[in-house]
Amino acid sequence: MPNYDRFEVRITPGSFPWILGHKLYVAEIFINHQPLLELVRQVEKPLVLAEIQERRLAGDTIDESVLSAGDYLYLPPSMILLPSRNLLDEPWDCGFELQSKDTQAGKATILGCTCGVIDCWFMQVRISLNESTVEWADFGQFHRDWEYSLGPFKFDREQYESELYKDG
């Protein structure tokens, strides 16, 4: 039996200062029992530090708090769970016009901006489906050309899709 990565979705109430007492549920994604946000944060940390250093060398007086690694929110269940096909074969339209040859075209949005406007600052991944597997590869931050050393992850399609049927 092939050794697949583990995909998990947990629906949890979020705590966001801009919703003032209302409950907002998010779909937390875990890969191999690790929160996706933490995986992204670990990969982005050296990228953020390099960008800060580069900008300072160019004369920018950037404060480190302006650019944070892993500064995203999980998406609402309606964008992750079925009937949404964002994590299958119909990526959510981020609203930016892209040429068909653009490397970001056809990628699924997996994390959104902390301001509450998902497409302000978001993380994407290319999802490939076949009969028995789902693969996540080519991670990217829409507004940065950073190279992400994350993945690829190969999931058992049956287990993966079962996670997309959870109650939202």
Side-chain angles (χ1 to χ4, degrees), residues 2 11 27-32 39 41 57 59 61 70 86 92-93 108 112 116 120 124 135 137 143 147 152 166:
I11 308 304
E28 293 182 305
I29 294 174
F30 290 77
I31 297 176
N32 299 326
L39 294 172
R41 187 172 288 116
L57 288 173
T61 58
N86 179 46
W92 178 70
D93 181 3
C120 175
Q124 295 180 298
E135 184 173 299
H143 300 290
E147 292 287 326
K166 295 199 169 184

Side-chain angles (χ1 to χ4, degrees), residues 126-158:
R126 186 160 316 283
I127 298 176
S128 303
L129 304 173
N130 74 39
E131 192 174 307
S132 61
T133 62
V134 176
E135 184 173 299
W136 282 24
D138 193 20
F139 285 78
Q141 206 302 328
F142 188 83
H143 300 290
R144 292 287 191 270
D145 61 357
W146 293 337
E147 292 287 326
Y148 282 81
S149 58
L150 188 59
F153 297 106
K154 187 176 271 189
F155 308 109
D156 174 79
R157 185 163 178 172
E158 186 176 320

Side-chain angles (χ1 to χ4, degrees), residues 37-152:
L37 270 175
E38 189 54 38
L39 294 172
V40 169
R41 187 172 288 116
Q42 290 171 11
V43 171
E44 281 192 354
K45 191 176 248 182
L47 299 170
V48 165
L49 293 173
E51 180 172 324
I52 289 170
Q53 182 177 12
E54 181 180 310
R55 288 170 67 175
R56 284 182 176 159
L57 288 173
D60 192 345
T61 58
I62 186 170
D63 181 349
E64 290 183 24
S65 65
V66 171
L67 191 60
S68 299
D71 198 18
Y72 305 94
L73 290 180
Y74 288 109
L75 300 176
S78 62
M79 288 185 66
I80 299 298
L81 302 178
L82 292 167
S84 169
R85 302 206 43 100
N86 179 46
L87 296 189
L88 292 167
D89 52 1
E90 294 177 21
W92 178 70
D93 181 3
C94 64
F96 291 92
E97 188 173 325
L98 299 172
Q99 300 299 320
S100 61
K101 293 180 182 179
D102 190 308
T103 59
Q104 294 169 324
K107 285 186 171 184
T109 300
I110 54 174
L111 296 169
C113 188
T114 58
C115 77
V117 177
I118 292 165
D119 51 0
C120 175
W121 187 259
F122 57 104
M123 172 66 56
Q124 295 180 298
V125 69
R126 186 160 316 283
I127 298 176
S128 303
L129 304 173
N130 74 39
E131 192 174 307
S132 61
T133 62
V134 176
E135 184 173 299
W136 282 24
D138 193 20
F139 285 78
Q141 206 302 328
F142 188 83
H143 300 290
R144 292 287 191 270
D145 61 357
W146 293 337
E147 292 287 326
Y148 282 81
S149 58
L150 188 59

